[in-house]
Amino acid sequence: MERKQGFFSTLRDEVVRGLSPGRSRPKSPARSASPLSSLLRRKKPHHHHRRHNKSSGQPELPAAMMMTRSGSVAIRPPVEALSPLNEGPDPDNGNGNGGGGGGGCGEGRMEGRWAQWIASSSSSSSSSNNNNNNNNNNNNKSRSDLRLLLGVLGAPLAPIHVNSNEPLPHLSIKDTPIESSSAQYILQQYVAASGGQKLQNSIRNAYAMGRVRMIASEFETAKNGQKTRNPSKAAESGGFVLWQMNPDMWYVELALGGSKVHAGCNGKLVWRHTPWLGAHAAKGPVRPLRRALQGLDPKTTARMFTNARCTGEKKINGEDCFILKLCADPATLKARSEGPAEIIRHVLFGYFSQKTGLLVHLEDSHLTRIQNNGGDAVYWETTINSFLDDYRPVEGIMISHSGRSIVTLFRFGDIAMTHTRTRMEEAWAIEEVAFNVQGLSMDCFIPPAELRFGSDGDACEYSAGLRARPSAAQISTRIAGLDISRDNGV
């Protein structure tokens, strides 16, 4: 029994001798001990004394470093202490030399490294702040562009009131100017090419859904003959839904870039709701939605040009077209004017193909005068050019299934030799069209309960903003958010 115990004791001593740091890992000049490890070696607990083997003279391992597993003895290796984490520059500078030696030269090098580290930290912090500021500016610009796009292109209206139930006038040549009789003949051809008057009169309601892509493509400022352009290429994608019902009721909902615009008409009142203005009513007579005239509602389009005049011919995309011109009457312009904003003119041009008889191009332009208190008047001219493509029959009615619009906002008058120009673009595609939808009733066109009548505050706010003479982008954003854009929209 004693012999067996001597064997295990000898085996244990040999294992301990083999794991001894002094025998297994000789000191190397290239390896330096960390200050924390030397501090741990110097520290000895007072209540724990190391026991020595009498026969070998080697110290015995503590009981915590030995564990028994399945009747055998296992040795738990000692745990090495980790070096502390440096919050400053590397004292060794990657060369493996200790930071304690070197005297004054080492201290000078260390101070230099600290200075470099602080400078690099400051520069990284300032660059991070600059990046955050640039991101904030880009986000603000994107929101301004989105607000401008929705304000101008979200729900623009036609120039005049149209009664869709009234029949087209009979073609008359006697005692009728040649411009008016030619326009009536062109409209008769358009109605026939679109599906015929009988089929159009059988439509009680209509539904259309499509997708849109808008972009504020360019901002231009001209001062004293010098032009400054700021191109913008941030396009926004979205979609819209349009419902129509006789007589003169419609509702449109357009979502773009996380924002949404609602607009509608119950036959007696036109209203619009935007995230920045809420719900508000439009001044003047009830007018149809311009988007419906872009190849979606041939019946309303024909009624719109009933009193138009033929002014000539022009090629659009290589196709010969007749030009019909329609002007809003002074009574309508006066009814649409409000506060310091006065609508001077609103003109609509329709380009009808001589080959197919269909409407292929629509252009409307209106001029608004804003009288600033105690200052010069400011003029805003808005022009929208729409190109209609891809006509296909839907239940016998010819519908344009794609197109694009180019919008130009031109501001001038308050400062001599100075103007601003903003250009926007829109492309759309129609995905679904249906007529005589079951279940559609007048309840679908009820205005919102929070609708407010009148917007003198918006006009006053716009007039006050003109006194500050902001930049072109700010002016364009403000005009889209206020009721001056309502003449484009609601």
Side-chain angles (χ1 to χ4, degrees), residues 220-247:
E220 176 185 303
T221 302
K223 185 175 183 180
N224 296 329
Q226 298 180 354
K227 294 183 179 181
T228 303
R229 294 184 178 182
N230 298 316
S232 173
K233 298 300 180 182
E236 299 286 351
S237 300
F240 70 92
V241 177
L242 172 63
W243 297 89
Q244 292 178 277
M245 183 175 177
N246 291 332

Side-chain angles (χ1 to χ4, degrees), residues 146 150 236-238 254-261 275:
L146 179 61
L150 290 176
E236 299 286 351
S237 300
L254 188 145
L256 187 76
S259 298
K260 188 180 294 186
V261 172

Side-chain angles (χ1 to χ4, degrees), residues 159-200:
I160 62 174
H161 167 71
V162 172
N163 189 349
S164 58
N165 290 331
E166 291 183 358
L168 287 175
H170 294 287
L171 182 60
S172 176
I173 301 178
K174 186 178 180 180
D175 299 332
T176 303
I178 185 63
E179 296 86 356
S180 299
S181 59
S182 299
Q184 293 176 8
Y185 176 78
I186 294 170
L187 289 179
Q188 295 287 350
Q189 298 298 317
Y190 170 68
V191 172
S194 301
Q197 187 171 356
K198 183 178 180 180
L199 184 58
Q200 292 178 7

Side-chain angles (χ1 to χ4, degrees), residues 13 45 49 109 143 147 192 208 312 360 385 485:
D13 294 341
H49 296 281
R109 286 195 299 267
R143 286 194 295 268
R147 181 171 170 175
V360 297
N385 287 279
S485 68

